[in-house]
Amino acid sequence: MVGLITWAEPKRGQKSVHMEERVILRMRFLQGEIVKSRYSAVLCRRVLTTGKRLRKRGVTQVILPEDFPFQEQLEKCGLRSVSTLALRRSIAADWVRSGLLECGQPVPGARVAVAAEALTGEVVRTVTELTLRHRYVLLDLPYGGEEFCRQLRREYGVSLLLGPDQDQLEGAEALILFAQRTNLSLNNPVVLRLYDEKQVLPPLTLPPKLEEEVPKGVNRGQLLAALREAGALRREQIVLGITRQRET
């Protein structure tokens, strides 16, 4: 079971830490509700208590409140926050489009570069989606990729530039990195670091009926990642925030 940590406003007679099971979109979570305090040391003790109780119940992954400053304390209890990497990679093509629109770049004619260490399933899916949306897609790999290029041409009639040089990568309007690249300036108008969970996610929304079940104040990316991983949420149900810019 995945843990869920939330804050609660102080009320007379309530426990400082309250544990209960909670269901969100048919997925069960073990929720640890912590009463807020103006004293950091008090909050830290309550977080440690919550972490120990969650771990005792078999929890290893937790969804945190927004801007949570006590992650180190949870790690001492053997807890880690839910990873958002798979979610980030699943929305990469939509994220590029959103980013291009936000900075006023033409979407279909934009040059989109993808750099990865290997041709994984996530890379194949992302590049395929990109080639169907953008006229110029570049793929940088240490090796391989030729058969994938031929497959794209056979199945969809689209072309993919394999093995771009550094100038071509840095000249692209959008750059998607599946792994860190220290030789690039990262000055492209849109840069997605899909290996870096510190990069702020775009606004993510769900259909209204599902949105009603999403609790406020929790890390939205972590919650959607957990729901998607468990099969409680489909990728197509996650929509990126709508921009007012028009595609050109």
Side-chain angles (χ1 to χ4, degrees):
M1 188 184 301
V2 176
L4 177 68
I5 294 179
T6 58
W7 297 124
E9 295 297 331
K11 294 180 182 178
R12 182 175 297 180
Q14 70 182 140
K15 295 180 180 179
S16 60
V17 174
H18 174 67
M19 309 292 294
E20 66 176 357
E21 288 193 12
R22 178 172 183 176
V23 176
I24 303 173
L25 299 181
R26 304 179 306 281
M27 179 177 175
R28 288 191 308 125
F29 295 88
L30 182 58
Q31 177 176 327
E33 185 180 69
I34 304 173
V35 174
K36 291 181 179 179
S37 171
R38 58 179 176 172
Y39 301 108
S40 179
V42 173
L43 269 183
C44 185
R45 287 197 299 271
R46 291 175 180 176
V47 168
L48 280 171
T49 297
T50 304
K52 290 175 182 177
R53 291 185 183 179
L54 287 169
R55 190 66 192 90
K56 189 175 181 180
R57 296 277 295 272
V59 172
T60 57
Q61 298 182 79
V62 289
I63 296 163
L64 304 176
E66 295 175 348
D67 304 317
F68 187 73
F70 300 105
Q71 192 160 348
E72 184 177 340
Q73 280 69 29
L74 293 179
E75 290 173 356
K76 291 179 181 178
C77 300
L79 300 175
R80 68 182 188 278
S81 58
V82 170
S83 173
T84 62
L85 292 181
L87 173 66
R88 291 167 184 271
R89 292 167 182 173
S90 72
I91 65 170
D94 288 344
W95 196 353
V96 163
R97 174 185 175 276
S98 177
L100 289 169
L101 289 170
E102 187 175 342
C103 62
Q105 296 286 340
V107 174
R111 293 165 295 174
V112 181
V114 179
E117 293 181 329
L119 194 62
T120 64
E122 291 175 320
V123 175
V124 167
R125 183 182 62 248
T126 298
V127 172
T128 301
E129 290 184 27
L130 291 171
T131 56
L132 297 176
R133 302 181 185 193
H134 304 276
R135 194 169 297 123
Y136 308 105
V137 179
L138 302 76
L139 177 59
D140 183 56
L141 295 169
Y143 57 88
E146 293 81 6
E147 177 55 35
F148 177 48
C149 290
R150 289 191 287 269
Q151 180 183 345
L152 286 175
R153 182 175 290 278
R154 284 196 309 269
E155 294 186 8
Y156 302 107
V158 295
S159 59
L160 174 67
L161 175 60
L162 186 64
D165 58 31
Q166 183 169 336
D167 288 340
Q168 289 173 312
L169 291 172
E170 296 194 334
E173 282 74 35
L175 175 63
I176 302 176
L177 299 174
F178 279 82
Q180 188 173 9
R181 291 290 299 270
T182 57
N183 63 320
L184 298 176
S185 65
L186 307 187
N187 289 326
N188 310 68
V190 177
V191 178
L192 303 187
R193 301 184 302 277
L194 300 182
Y195 59 88
D196 182 7
E197 297 199 70
K198 293 181 180 178
Q199 183 171 12
V200 178
L201 281 163
L204 303 174
T205 61
L206 303 177
K209 287 186 178 180
L210 302 184
E211 197 67 56
E212 292 174 0
E213 295 192 42
V214 176
K216 307 297 182 184
V218 301
N219 186 303
R220 193 175 183 86
Q222 292 175 3
L223 177 60
L224 298 189
L227 290 168
R228 180 179 172 275
E229 178 68 21
L233 191 64
R234 299 191 304 275
R235 162 63 191 91
E236 57 269 23
Q237 292 175 309
I238 303 172
V239 180
L240 273 66
I242 299 173
T243 176
R244 295 184 180 179
Q245 298 272 1
R246 286 185 3 182
E247 294 187 32
T248 57

